[in-house]
Amino acid sequence: MLVYFLDKQRRDVPRLTEILDSHGVPYKLASLEEDPAAQAAIRRDSNGHRLPLVFIAGECVGGREQLLNLGNTGQLKKLVFG
């Protein structure tokens, strides 16, 4: 599980990590600030969502709203833990 962000959006990252923590989901933070190629790849794979974004097993699940919905329906743990 990776949480991608740009430094200017760093203040929004805790909103995502709180959700992940509350569900016991491990994650890593990844700043895209110094990596233009990674920024382009994330934009391509983001399905129109804006940073910060959560990726599980290489698939974009979205931002805060999508993560909340996944957590509330139980899908988050299924995606992460199988």
Side-chain angles (χ1 to χ4, degrees):
M1 162 102 33
L2 286 168
V3 177
Y4 290 105
F5 65 95
L6 291 172
D7 289 345
K8 66 183 177 182
Q9 295 141 337
R10 188 159 184 88
R11 70 182 184 285
D12 296 328
V13 171
R15 294 177 181 169
L16 296 175
T17 58
E18 286 173 3
I19 297 166
L20 297 171
D21 288 339
S22 71
H23 290 281
V25 175
Y27 57 88
K28 291 186 179 185
L29 299 176
S31 174
L32 300 171
E33 198 66 37
E34 301 296 323
D35 193 343
Q39 288 178 33
I42 295 300
R43 279 191 203 103
R44 179 193 67 222
D45 298 338
S46 69
N47 302 321
H49 298 292
R50 298 176 63 182
L51 292 169
L53 291 171
V54 174
F55 277 69
I56 299 173
E59 295 293 323
C60 180
V61 296
R64 181 177 177 269
E65 184 178 329
Q66 292 78 24
L67 202 56
L68 276 172
N69 289 337
L70 287 172
N72 290 337
T73 63
Q75 286 296 108
L76 179 59
K77 286 188 177 181
K78 287 180 183 176
L79 287 172
V80 175
F81 301 115

